[in-house]
Amino acid sequence: INKNITKSDCLNAFQEARAAGINTYGFFIFGHRDDTSQTIKETLEFAKTLNPDFISFFTLVPFPGTQVYNFVEEKLRFAWDRIRYVWVGSRKHLPISICSVSPRDLVKFEFDAGFEFYGRWQYLWKNIIISGTDFTMKWIKLKYFVYHHLRLIKHHINGDRIFKSNEINKNKFSCTL
């Protein structure tokens, strides 16, 4: 998306920030034009490699006036409920997909990525136990870990995790097309 930075640049920036004692935050967007299920999984793996203190995953929203809006199908150009797709606790509509990944699968990837990242034992160890941050920051990180780890356990039991299965459970979301 024309940022003119490499993965190596990102890794170096995160390492330098950590060395300076700065908490890091990673923001990742799924659903760019060339995204596939595989590239989304690779993005999550890269996020784990960066291992920021905090992270957010989002589905691309092709707002009118942006370059990505040019890739929206004509029939969806004025589907305002789907264009305004944002996480607000519950979704009534699926996002608009401009890539090969279906809107329903984009929702699933976005939903699963947070607990796939925060639910790792490596996050607990590196970002909380051995990190040099103060008690308050460790407490905040621990709350993220516990919350996402409990979600991870729940979804593992239900068998509806997209990153660990080849089959996406289509009945877990109440979104409408």
Side-chain angles (χ1 to χ4, degrees):
I1 57 172
N2 302 323
K3 287 185 179 179
N4 295 321
I5 57 174
T6 65
K7 287 183 177 181
S8 179
D9 293 336
C10 290
L11 281 168
N12 290 335
F14 274 77
Q15 289 171 348
E16 289 178 20
R18 270 193 289 282
I22 298 171
N23 286 312
T24 55
Y25 205 126
F27 295 89
F28 294 87
I29 298 175
F30 298 145
H32 292 283
R33 185 169 172 233
D34 295 328
D35 259 345
T36 64
S37 293
Q38 184 59 38
T39 62
I40 290 172
K41 290 176 183 179
E42 290 168 6
T43 298
L44 177 62
E45 290 307 311
F46 180 63
K48 290 177 183 179
T49 300
L50 287 177
N51 199 34
D53 295 291
F54 302 98
I55 201 159
S56 290
F57 297 97
F58 304 97
T59 298
L60 176 81
V61 179
F63 289 112
T66 62
Q67 288 182 355
V68 294
Y69 187 72
N70 296 326
F71 299 105
V72 174
E73 294 177 48
E74 192 65 38
K75 67 182 181 180
L76 297 174
R77 293 249 169 151
F78 300 102
W80 301 117
D81 287 339
R82 292 182 69 189
I83 290 171
R84 292 187 318 221
Y85 166 86
V86 293
W87 175 255
V88 290
S90 66
R91 294 183 172 105
K92 294 180 182 177
H93 301 281
L94 291 169
I96 292 174
S97 176
I98 61 167
C99 65
S100 66
V101 180
S102 74
R104 189 173 305 276
D105 292 354
L106 284 173
V107 170
K108 189 75 169 133
F109 275 120
E110 180 185 359
F111 184 77
D112 281 4
F115 57 77
E116 184 71 21
F117 178 84
Y118 284 114
R120 300 171 300 133
W121 291 105
Q122 181 183 9
Y123 180 81
L124 174 68
W125 179 252
K126 285 188 173 182
N127 292 44
I128 301 170
I129 294 173
I130 65 169
S131 76
T133 58
D134 63 28
F135 176 78
T136 303
M137 190 57 66
K138 284 186 181 197
W139 179 249
I140 293 168
K141 291 177 188 180
L142 183 61
K143 288 193 314 187
Y144 271 81
F145 173 80
V146 170
Y147 171 76
H148 285 88
H149 199 70
L150 291 173
R151 288 178 64 202
L152 182 68
I153 292 168
K154 176 186 171 222
H155 289 278
H156 181 70
I157 291 168
N158 292 342
D160 59 355
R161 290 178 52 221
I162 195 168
F163 287 108
K164 296 296 181 188
S165 69
N166 293 327
E167 182 60 33
I168 297 166
N169 190 332
K170 306 287 187 200
N171 300 319
K172 293 294 180 184
F173 297 95
S174 60
C175 303
T176 57
L177 292 171

